[in-house]
Amino acid sequence: MSTLPAPAIGDRTLFPTLRPLVYANHAGIAVPSARVLAAATTVHEDYAARGFEAFPTWIAQRRRLKEKLARLVGAVPDAIALTQNTTRGLVNLALCFPWTRGDRVLLFRGEFPANVTPWQRAAELFGLDVVFEDADTFRTDPEAAFDALARALDRGIRLVAVSAVEFQTGFRMPVRTIAARCHERGAQVAVDAVQACGVVPIDMAADGIDYLSCGSHKWLMSLEGCGFVACAPEHAAALRPNVAGWLGHEDGLKFLFEGPGHLRTDRPIRKTIDFMEDGNSNTAGFAALEAAVDTLHELGVPAIHAHVNRWNDAVEAALLERGFTSARATDAAGRSGSLCVLPPAGVDGVGLHRALVKRGLACAVPDGYLRLSPHWPNALSELDTALGIIDEALGALA
Ligand SMILES: Cc1ncc(COP(=O)(O)O)c(C=O)c1O
């Protein structure tokens, strides 16, 4: 790994096999750097060489990863559990939250379903009432959105589930203010942070986020199949261990290493959120994630945020000139890493997306928006190429 060049903002040297001329789909699936691939390979090679003896090495790595993740999101390492993806973290929270029958959960219409379905399932299981408000109103009419939130909270809400950044508009939700309003009324807040972590500064403690879940394959720039879930430390003990597995017991590994007498299933389940780490999991993915998070720490999330927004400023201005409508917030506080636009009248968004990808501009078309999501390796010098592709694609569709 030490022979690889250091990462640098605007430099894709660490992505030597990347094919698209411009890769702007990190909000979909990020491209892993050579560093990330090397970290995953190291784990596979270690197991290939040592088999079971490699296991304790990589169990220990998880502690280091949690410390780095904690630093990234303003959490406490002991209040983090490693998971498979964003959804698994939210499912676990929904199943383990200390519900009382009749509790109300506030969800948002227009959110990515990862932060809706698990709460709906919990409602079915635990006899909860689900209420919905509109997510997009926070972008289009914040006063009305906060009024609606206040009215819902007045009727009694136990938990509000919200995304830090909306996947189709790229709007950065006012999570800190939402959390403050919720706490004033005794409600807690669970945040899907997968469209934010890595490109938008997040600080669970300062933002008042009670629970947070995030997957690794978007803005964290690692591989699929990993994620983490975190809670404010004071909430961990109240979680019900409804998803605990064999690794959730206190001293649950002793029977494998310390002789007879330790094979017991009556050991208490840990009172820390890592009881959610149920069984053997994605060790290579966690090593890859550590390499990806190291890179984010080296470059700094605020610097990455500023860089991608410079890229987005230029592309947005050019798209507006070409008749696109932008969903990007005019206020910097509402901006994430994604630039989401609607095509000019008469241009089919899905067809345009296909034409762009074919010509080498990787982007996405979630829920009808054309979404461009650059990250730290995107150079400002690739903007001419991106705009050339856009003009060619528009011409081909005309
Ligand atoms: C806001 C949001 N949440 C969750 C997901 C899916 O998360 P995962 O596949 O990590 O469960 C996505 C996109 O895939 C998303 O945009």
Side-chain angles (χ1 to χ4, degrees):
M1 245 212 288
S2 55
T3 56
L4 292 171
I9 285 182
D11 176 359
R12 63 184 249 184
T13 308
L14 282 168
F15 305 82
T17 58
L18 179 58
R19 286 197 194 140
L21 299 171
V22 178
Y23 194 85
N25 197 7
H26 295 89
I29 294 188
V31 282
S33 70
R35 265 186 164 191
V36 168
L37 296 182
T41 302
T42 300
V43 175
H44 292 309
E45 288 177 349
D46 196 19
Y47 275 93
R50 296 198 293 150
F52 185 86
E53 293 307 312
F55 179 69
T57 303
W58 298 104
I59 285 279
Q61 179 264 345
R62 290 177 197 180
R63 177 73 202 174
R64 221 168 47 228
L65 172 58
K66 286 182 194 180
E67 282 164 6
K68 292 172 181 180
L69 288 170
R71 199 145 52 81
L72 192 73
V73 300
V76 172
D78 283 338
I80 291 181
L82 300 177
T83 59
Q84 296 100 303
N85 50 44
T86 320
T87 305
R88 176 52 51 190
L90 293 165
V91 167
N92 287 352
L93 289 172
L95 292 178
C96 298
F97 191 86
W99 302 113
T100 302
R101 181 166 283 278
D103 280 345
R104 276 212 189 85
V105 187
L106 175 59
L107 309 177
F108 290 99
R109 273 186 294 272
E111 289 254 299
F112 196 91
N115 202 19
V116 175
T117 314
W119 307 108
Q120 290 176 312
R121 300 311 310 146
E124 190 85 15
L125 272 170
F126 301 111
L128 317 175
D129 286 335
V130 172
V131 288
F132 277 96
E133 294 295 342
D134 268 325
D136 203 34
T137 313
F138 282 96
R139 181 178 70 91
T140 56
D141 188 350
E143 206 175 310
F146 277 110
D147 282 350
L149 175 66
R151 280 194 301 277
L153 289 168
D154 280 346
R155 289 194 292 274
I157 295 286
R158 185 82 193 277
L159 184 119
V160 174
V162 67
S163 292
V165 170
E166 295 302 321
F167 77 102
Q168 71 283 68
T169 59
F171 182 67
R172 180 178 174 187
M173 293 291 258
V175 167
R176 189 175 288 199
T177 314
I178 291 174
R181 301 279 163 87
C182 288
H183 293 161
E184 282 161 20
R185 308 275 193 9
Q188 295 184 354
V189 181
V191 172
D192 172 343
V194 76
Q195 291 294 355
C197 286
V199 71
V200 168
I202 295 260
D203 186 330
M204 281 185 75
D207 294 341
I209 295 171
D210 296 287
Y211 307 92
L212 176 146
S213 185
C214 184
S216 56
H217 64 283
K218 296 182 187 289
W219 297 97
L220 295 181
M221 291 189 75
S222 191
L223 307 170
E224 289 169 284
C226 286
F228 66 99
V229 57
C231 68
E234 66 272 20
H235 296 328
L239 291 169
R240 298 190 181 130
N242 292 339
V243 299
W246 72 277
L247 280 175
H249 292 278
E250 283 176 13
D251 297 322
L253 276 173
K254 275 194 171 174
F255 74 97
L256 291 177
F257 296 98
E258 297 187 17
H262 296 292
L263 181 56
R264 288 171 35 192
T265 45
D266 59 351
R267 291 183 195 279
I269 300 294
R270 287 190 299 280
K271 289 281 186 197
T272 43
I273 194 171
D274 65 353
F275 74 76
M276 293 181 182
E277 294 170 5
D278 45 12
N280 276 302
S281 49
N282 190 349
T283 306
F286 294 141
L289 182 54
E290 185 183 352
V293 173
D294 280 343
T295 300
L296 295 172
H297 281 307
E298 277 171 56
L299 298 175
V301 172
I304 294 171
H305 183 76
H307 171 72
V308 301
N309 273 287
R310 271 196 296 277
W311 196 100
N312 285 342
D313 284 344
V315 175
E316 183 184 40
L319 291 176
L320 291 176
E321 273 172 22
R322 288 159 175 79
F324 286 77
T325 307
S326 177
R328 188 163 175 243
T330 43
D331 177 0
R335 291 180 174 174
S336 61
S338 290
L339 165 62
C340 303
V341 296
L342 293 171
V347 176
D348 165 46
V350 174
L352 176 61
H353 170 247
R354 223 177 291 121
L356 294 172
V357 172
K358 193 172 135 199
R359 287 167 176 77
L361 171 53
C363 54
V365 67
D367 199 26
Y369 283 88
L370 183 69
R371 184 181 67 195
L372 295 150
S373 48
H375 210 323
W376 63 261
N378 290 85
L380 296 178
S381 59
E382 70 190 19
L383 292 171
D384 283 348
T385 309
L387 296 177
I389 292 174
I390 290 166
D391 285 337
E392 220 184 284
L394 286 171
L397 292 180

